[in-house]
């Protein structure tokens, strides 16, 4: 057992003491701090290397805590919570007065979610209050989906509560309910179609007035290897390329490393970030990623692939 591996009780005590702890969720591992403790949240930003103006999601152990953090909560929020919580959906709501500016990025809204991982729920319920948590990676890196990924990011600087590999593997869907129409800020395992089926109204796209979300930086989930999206015929010619595909390596292809993920959006998404880390670690010249279908169920994977492959230099632009 690695020296920074801890149990739920330890983790709750660390949060209570105003320190940072990494914990599993069903989407990706989070880097958690007491969301009501300014100093603790600042420690979290410092560790992650994240710009101070970026808001973080507050994780709750139960929907009953929603009103401690948000005001003017629309009925639709409860309808969605009923259907999708605990689970991979974050709701952006109007914040209650007193919610830290460090948490909201000084906006009038707060992001809230009840995660669907039993260890996360146990931690949140033991701790008893909101836990601010971005993904447990350094700013701009690929999100961690195992405890080992978190250790690769932070070494012994952060204690890690190990809950095994994340079942979803991609960050939560973010839905903004703070305006006149619901808007999808980030696609995830809960699809636009899932949301529209429950809401009975169309879900809009992010617009320029939408709140900032660092997941919406053009290039944010990026491997270090030059990454290119290719339609299907993958140009493998040198021995210095890696390929991420949904097909097994064709006869005669010369890619040094060919990794095939399942041709199913949930299974592909669950393994995507681990695959990007593994392929990136090979130090290849290029990483070719085969595009995925332009359908609602593939939207979250497609979004992350697009961001992984956007040209370097776009990090500071909003997509
Ligand atoms: O699945 C997830 O959501 C994971 C796990 C740990 O829960 N968390 C996660 O956190 O992906 P992070 O910080 O890497 O991304 C959260 C996104 C960011 O893009 C952030 O800007 C956005 O949520 N966000 C948080 N509060 C917001 C707000 N009030 N308005 C708009 N966006 C917000
Ligand atoms: Mg992140």
């Amino acid at each position: 057992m690695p020296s920074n591996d801890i149990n739920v009780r330890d983790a709750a005590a660390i949060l209570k003491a105003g320190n940072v702890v990494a914990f599993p969720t069903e989407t990706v591992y989070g880097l958690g701090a007491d969301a009501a403790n300014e100093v603790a949240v600042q420690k979290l930003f410092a560790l992650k290397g994240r710009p101070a103006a970026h808001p973080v999601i507050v994780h709750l152990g139960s929907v009953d805590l929603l009103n401690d953090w948000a005001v003017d909560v629309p009925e639709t929020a409860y309808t969605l919570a009923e259907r999708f919580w605990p689970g991979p959906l974050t709701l952006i709501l109007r914040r209650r007065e007193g919610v830290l500016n460090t948490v909201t990025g000084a906006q009038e809204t707060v992001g809230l979610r009840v995660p669907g991982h039993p260890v996360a729920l146990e931690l949140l319920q033991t701790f008893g209050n909101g836990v601010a948590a971005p993904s447990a990676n350094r700013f701009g890196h690929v999100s961690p989906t195992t405890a080992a990924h978190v250790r690769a990011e932070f070494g012994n600087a952060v204690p890690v509560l190990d809950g095994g590999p994340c079942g979803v593997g991609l960050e939560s869907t973010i839905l903004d309910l703070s305006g006149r129409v619901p808007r999808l800020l980030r696609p995830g395992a809960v699809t636009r179609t899932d949301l529209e089926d429950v809401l009975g109204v169309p879900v809009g796209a992010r617009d320029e007035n939408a709140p900032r979300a660092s997941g919406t930086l053009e290039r944010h989930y990026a491997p270090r290897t030059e990454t290119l999206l290719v339609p299907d015929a993958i140009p493998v010619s040198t021995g210095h390329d890696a390929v991420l595909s949904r097909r097994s390596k064709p006869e005669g292809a010369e890619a040094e490393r060919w990794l095939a993920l399942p041709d199913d959006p949930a299974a592909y998404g669950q393994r995507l970030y681990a695959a990007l880390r593994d392929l990136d670690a090979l130090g290849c010249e290029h990483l070719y990623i085969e595009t995925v279908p332009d359908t609602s169920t593939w939207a979250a994977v497609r979004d992350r692939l697009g961001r992984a492959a956007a040209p370097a230099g776009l990090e500071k632009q909003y997509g």
Side-chain angles (χ1 to χ4, degrees):
M1 173 162 125
S3 61
N4 62 349
D5 203 356
I6 53 164
N7 63 33
V8 168
R9 255 196 348 188
D10 300 334
I14 290 167
L15 291 173
K16 283 236 186 325
N19 289 313
V20 172
V21 69
F23 66 99
T25 83
E26 80 283 30
T27 59
V28 300
Y29 274 71
L31 192 62
D34 180 351
N37 180 332
E38 172 77 32
V39 177
V41 179
Q42 277 175 10
K43 283 183 196 166
L44 189 154
F45 274 76
L47 268 166
K48 194 170 158 86
R50 184 180 203 165
H54 288 200
V56 283
I57 295 171
V58 177
H59 297 69
L60 305 174
S62 157
V63 65
D64 297 341
L65 296 180
L66 205 61
N67 285 300
D68 291 359
W69 297 87
V71 290
D72 305 334
V73 178
E75 201 47 47
T76 48
Y78 292 104
T79 310
L80 291 167
E82 173 81 17
R83 171 68 182 79
F84 297 112
W85 282 356
L89 175 67
T90 296
L91 298 178
I92 306 297
L93 298 165
R94 297 187 59 77
R95 70 145 150 188
R96 183 167 283 285
E97 210 185 303
V99 178
L100 296 173
N101 278 330
T102 350
V103 166
T104 64
Q107 301 177 85
E108 286 310 308
T109 56
V110 62
L112 298 168
R113 114 175 166 94
V114 178
H117 192 295
V119 176
L121 284 173
E122 200 188 332
L123 172 63
L124 292 165
Q125 284 158 12
T126 306
F127 176 64
N129 203 353
V131 172
S135 51
N137 52 281
R138 292 188 193 271
F139 186 67
H141 286 193
V142 175
S143 294
T145 55
T146 66
H149 293 163
V150 180
R151 291 190 194 98
E153 292 285 326
F154 296 106
N156 281 323
V158 177
V160 186
L161 181 57
D162 190 343
C166 301
V168 172
L170 299 178
E171 301 83 353
S172 60
T173 304
I174 303 183
L175 184 71
D176 183 3
L177 290 179
S178 70
R180 271 186 304 113
V181 291
R183 290 185 187 279
L184 187 65
L185 302 190
R186 180 172 73 185
V190 174
T191 66
R192 173 188 294 273
T193 313
D194 294 335
L195 295 168
E196 290 179 340
D197 283 350
V198 172
L199 292 171
V201 294
V203 168
R206 211 161 48 79
D207 70 5
E208 273 130 51
N209 302 320
R212 286 182 302 268
S214 66
T216 65
L217 291 173
E218 186 83 35
R219 184 173 189 271
H220 186 69
Y221 301 98
R224 290 175 199 83
T225 312
E226 187 182 349
T227 302
L228 299 129
L229 283 181
V230 288
D232 42 33
I234 290 171
V236 277
S237 50
T238 76
H240 305 292
D241 296 330
V243 174
L244 183 60
S245 176
R246 284 172 290 135
R247 299 169 297 153
S248 46
K249 184 170 149 169
E251 199 75 29
E254 285 174 48
E256 190 185 354
R257 297 300 242 126
W258 183 292
L259 206 155
L261 289 183
D263 190 15
D264 165 81
Y268 186 113
Q270 199 259 329
R271 290 168 54 186
L272 174 62
Y273 287 154
L276 289 180
R277 279 175 188 269
D278 289 348
L279 291 168
D280 207 21
L282 299 173
C284 291
E285 212 164 292
H286 302 104
L287 168 55
Y288 293 105
I289 304 182
E290 206 175 68
T291 52
V292 296
D294 190 4
T295 59
S296 173
T297 50
W298 281 98
V301 166
R302 222 178 136 77
D303 171 76
R304 304 316 189 274
L305 294 184
R307 292 172 199 287
L314 285 184
E315 291 91 338
K316 294 196 172 58
Q317 291 176 25
Y318 288 102

